[in-house]
Structure formats: structure tokens, C-alpha cells
Amino acid sequence: MTQEQVAPLAARVKELEEELTRVAGDRDAFRSRAEEATALGKALAGQLGAEQSAHQLTKGTLDEALTVVEASRTEAVVWRGKAEELGREASRAAEASRVEAQRLKEKAKASQVEAQRWEQKAKESEAEVTQAAEASIVVQAVLETEIGEHEVLKSVARSTCEALEVEGVQSGSSLGSHQIALSGQVRERLRGALHTGVKHALAVIASHYIGVDLQAVSDGYILPDDDEEVDEVVAKLMEVAEGPGTTLAKLFEEEVVAPPPSANAGGPEP
């Protein structure tokens, strides 16, 4: 696009330079003719002083020569004006070409800067894509780890439910279903363990002391009316019962506590 715009201007400048050269040559030719006419006039003027009659004869020739000289001078002035105009036009064309070339140069420089900016943005985008890919790999690894842990928890929950014989849970149920069923089963087991422990404790007391009123014992503590003394009395009774209670509880662990899960319960499903 730049060469197409500058080429006509360059051709026009060349034409103006050729025309200016031609005008300069014509001007020099006219100047030479004027000098010749002037010399001729001077020669005729010399002869006029010597011969009056010859002066009359050559007067017409001298007037003609002067007319030619004047015409040549006038034409030379006209051609000089044309040459000056052509020179000014050539200068304007050259200035326009220079301005256009400068504009195109600045446009090319701006395009280069824009290209560098887009190249920098491309590098930044590539770096962002690389970071996103690395982050995706990390997230995928974390997700795979969490999936593995989820499968382990699911396997443990299933094994625990099987060990505790939890009802209402199918083999393909979710981890949440296993947890809900297991939680309910644990609550029932704890409630059963509590009731069994209390019954065993009352049975042990009845085996040691004949005639004990178990119904009265089942009503709870016999405590004073003062609230401040209640906490103190309960604390002393718990302290006294700590050792014997632990020993007594060990006798019934096999009946109350569920067996531990199998050794391979923690592994993921095949």
C-alpha cells in the first residue's frame, strides 16, 4: 500500500525535474540568442557612426533584432516563472512524499509496537494456560486422593455395619446412608449397653445382699436437699465407685462391646 501511494508522486517529481531541465536549456538558448542579438546591435551601432546611409539600411534589421531580443527576454521571463512554478510544485510534491513516507513510517512503527504488545499478551496467556494446567493436575491429584479416602471410609463404614450387623443398608448404598444407619445402630448399641450394664450391676448387688430393694435402688441416688451438697455427694460416690465399677465393667465387655472390624476392612473396594 505504501509503494502504490509513493510511486505516482515519485513519477510526477521526475517529470517535473525533466521539464525543469528542458526549460533551463531553452532559457540558456534564448539567453545565447539575446547575447548574439546584443552583439549584433553593437556592431550595427558602430557601423552607423561610420556610415549614415548604412545605418538607415540596417535600422530595420536593428529594430527587428531588438524586437527579437525583447521577445526573447520576455519569453525568458515567462519561462523563468514557469520554471519557478515547476520548482515550487516539485518541492510541494517532494514535501508531500516526505510527509506521506513519515506517516507510513510512524504507522509501521505503531504496528510493530502493537505486534510486540500482542506477542507479550500471547506469552502471558501461554503462562496462564500453563499455570492453569499445573493447577488442574494438582486439583486432579487432590481429587483422586479424596476419592481414594472416600472409598476407604466407605469400605470401613460397610465393614463396620457388617460387623455390627446393621440392618436396612444395601451393599451399593452411599457413604451417607452407611453413616446414618451406623449412627442409629451405635445409638441403639449404646442404649442397650447402658441398660445391660445397669441390669448387670443390680444383679451383682442382689447376689451379694439378699433382700435388697432393687425397686428403691432403681429410683436413683438418695441425696440431701441442699443443691450445693448434692454435687459434693455425687462426686464422692463416683470416686468411691470408680475402681470397683471399672473392675465390674470388664466382666461384661464380651457381652456388651461389639467385636472389632476385620484387619482388611480399611482397604478400598476391589
Side-chain angles (χ1 to χ4, degrees), residues 3-101:
Q3 293 180 354
E4 293 177 359
Q5 293 177 350
V6 175
L9 296 175
R12 179 59 178 167
V13 171
K14 186 175 181 181
E15 292 176 0
L16 293 174
E17 289 176 352
E18 292 176 354
E19 189 172 358
L20 180 61
T21 303
R22 186 169 59 254
V23 169
D26 294 339
R27 183 192 60 189
D28 294 339
F30 284 117
R31 183 179 294 172
S32 178
R33 290 174 60 187
E35 291 176 356
E36 292 176 359
T38 302
L40 180 59
K42 290 180 180 180
L44 291 175
Q47 292 180 1
L48 181 60
E51 298 179 358
Q52 184 66 29
S53 58
H55 173 71
Q56 294 296 330
L57 293 175
T58 59
K59 183 178 180 181
T61 303
L62 180 59
D63 292 338
E64 184 180 356
L66 292 175
T67 302
V68 172
V69 170
E70 184 64 24
S72 298
R73 187 181 65 80
T74 303
E75 189 173 359
V77 172
V78 173
W79 280 106
R80 184 177 65 183
K82 289 183 178 181
E84 291 176 353
E85 180 64 25
L86 291 174
R88 287 191 295 270
E89 186 176 351
S91 298
R92 288 194 296 270
E95 181 65 18
S97 299
R98 187 187 66 79
V99 172
E100 182 67 17

Side-chain angles (χ1 to χ4, degrees), residues 100-171:
E100 182 67 17
Q102 182 66 23
R103 187 181 68 82
L104 293 173
K105 182 178 180 181
E106 293 176 354
K107 187 176 181 180
K109 187 176 180 180
S111 299
Q112 184 178 5
V113 173
E114 184 70 12
Q116 292 177 354
R117 187 173 67 85
W118 280 106
E119 183 179 359
Q120 182 64 26
K121 289 185 67 176
K123 291 181 179 179
E124 293 176 355
S125 299
E126 184 178 358
E128 291 178 357
V129 170
T130 302
Q131 293 177 357
E134 293 176 353
S136 176
I137 294 174
V138 173
V139 171
Q140 184 176 1
V142 173
L143 180 60
E144 291 177 354
T145 302
E146 291 181 354
I147 291 174
E149 293 177 353
H150 178 80
E151 293 297 329
V152 171
L153 291 175
K154 185 177 179 181
S155 178
V156 171
R158 185 177 63 252
S159 300
T160 305
C161 289
E162 292 175 355
L164 296 176
E165 298 179 354
V166 178
E167 298 179 356
V169 181
Q170 300 178 357
S171 60

